Amino acid sequence: KGNTCYANAILQILSTIPSFWCQRYSESGSISPLARSLYLNLSLLKQKSSAIDPSNFLTALQNVISRKSNRPFDVNTQQDVPEILQYLVDELKGTSVIADDIICSSLTTTTTCMVCFSECKEETKHDMIRLDLSISIRSSFEIFLSSKNFIGENGSFCNMCSTLQDSERTIRISNCGSILIFHLIRYVDFNGKISKDNRKVNIFSENLTVPVKVDDVVTLNKSFKLRATINHSGTLNAGHYWAF
């Protein structure tokens, strides 16, 4: 229905993980029009072999984003999938007391001063984990968890030294649910010009093992299997989203 491939692709991939979107009944309170239309469309996708009309979902999506962003949102225009998907995840999390535990990951970032060796830790929650592009999802994830050095003007402020110092930064996962969403970063800024990295990524690898470190002591390994991908063909200014 016009330039709504981004919404179609999102509906297709969400239909593969009913353990998340079926949680709308976890609370007895009222359900929003967007959550209701999302549930209806996903249910139809699971039941029908013929095409469905997502008009009610698109209208509800337009109303929610217009209200939350405080600006008119035209559903029939090119959109960024991660941004739209986050709106839907927030909506689903608002209807269920357990949805956050299913999809949210807690990341602990440790920054170590390379002069006094003091550590600064920060824990953040993410519904989607952004990964730099590599030859495979496994490789991208390993790069994400690897230690990185920040030198000179790229260093970090050390509270002990009271100045900018060279530092080492590591990320560990302290908690994650049963669903992981990765956002592979394909659009990069080269000297003020944004371009798309069209390298192919191997997705047909074995299950992804995620180390979850509990209380800095015990590491538990959780295994994840790829269920779906949203892909983009084209450029920054013109293209098409499709689901696999």
Side-chain angles (χ1 to χ4, degrees):
K1 298 180 71 67
N3 294 327
T4 58
C5 58
Y6 65 92
N8 284 4
I10 289 174
L11 286 173
Q12 293 287 352
I13 63 132
L14 287 180
S15 71
T16 70
I17 46 173
S19 60
F20 179 52
W21 57 268
C22 279
Q23 297 301 326
R24 81 179 190 99
Y25 285 124
S26 295
E27 290 189 57
S28 58
S30 60
I31 183 171
S32 70
L34 178 56
R36 185 182 298 109
S37 62
L38 178 64
Y39 179 83
L40 173 62
N41 279 270
L42 293 177
S43 298
L44 289 173
L45 276 174
K46 300 295 289 183
Q47 298 169 10
K48 296 180 64 174
S49 58
S50 57
I52 66 171
D53 184 352
S55 295
N56 60 340
F57 167 73
L58 294 172
T59 299
L61 179 66
Q62 179 171 280
N63 292 338
V64 165
I65 297 180
S66 295
R67 185 181 75 251
K68 289 186 175 182
S69 64
N70 199 29
R71 59 179 174 81
F73 176 78
D74 185 356
V75 72
N76 191 26
T77 56
Q78 293 189 104
Q79 300 294 334
D80 180 53
V81 156
E83 180 183 356
I84 304 302
L85 180 56
Q86 186 63 62
Y87 278 107
L88 290 174
V89 169
D90 289 341
E91 195 77 9
L92 287 171
K93 286 166 59 176
T95 66
S96 168
V97 294
I98 64 174
D100 188 65
D101 294 331
I102 293 175
I103 204 167
C104 191
S105 297
S106 295
L107 307 180
T108 299
T109 302
T110 302
T111 303
T112 305
C113 175
M114 299 176 71
V115 176
C116 70
F117 301 105
S118 63
E119 292 184 346
C120 177
K121 294 187 177 182
E122 179 185 15
E123 185 174 75
T124 54
K125 284 190 170 185
H126 301 265
D127 297 321
M128 285 179 273
I129 298 177
R130 288 165 55 89
L131 301 179
D132 290 327
L133 206 63
S134 188
I135 59 175
S136 68
I137 294 177
R138 179 191 299 276
S139 176
S140 291
F141 189 58
E142 289 174 349
I143 293 171
F144 177 77
L145 293 179
S146 64
S147 300
K148 299 174 180 63
N149 293 330
F150 295 86
I151 309 298
E153 62 180 16
N154 294 320
S156 303
F157 184 83
C158 175
N159 291 324
M160 295 295 292
C161 299
S162 297
T163 186
L164 201 67
Q165 298 285 25
D166 295 346
S167 61
E168 180 185 63
R169 191 171 300 168
T170 58
I171 295 176
R172 68 173 175 83
I173 296 179
S174 52
N175 182 60
C176 71
S178 58
I179 297 171
L180 278 178
I181 300 178
F182 289 142
H183 172 198
L184 297 181
I185 304 171
R186 286 194 175 273
Y187 289 103
V188 290
D189 189 335
F190 287 112
N191 298 322
K193 183 179 180 181
I194 298 178
S195 60
K196 182 183 176 185
D197 189 334
N198 286 305
R199 282 181 294 168
K200 292 183 178 180
V201 176
N202 175 26
I203 63 172
F204 297 104
S205 56
E206 54 211 61
N207 292 357
L208 182 70
T209 300
V210 176
V212 180
K213 197 162 188 176
V214 182
D215 297 327
D216 287 328
V217 179
V218 180
T219 299
L220 307 175
N221 291 322
K222 298 187 69 172
S223 182
F224 290 83
K225 180 180 180 181
L226 185 66
R227 298 295 295 271
T229 68
I230 292 181
N231 316 285
H232 183 266
S233 303
T235 65
L236 177 65
N237 299 316
H240 180 61
Y241 281 113
W242 52 282
F244 180 72

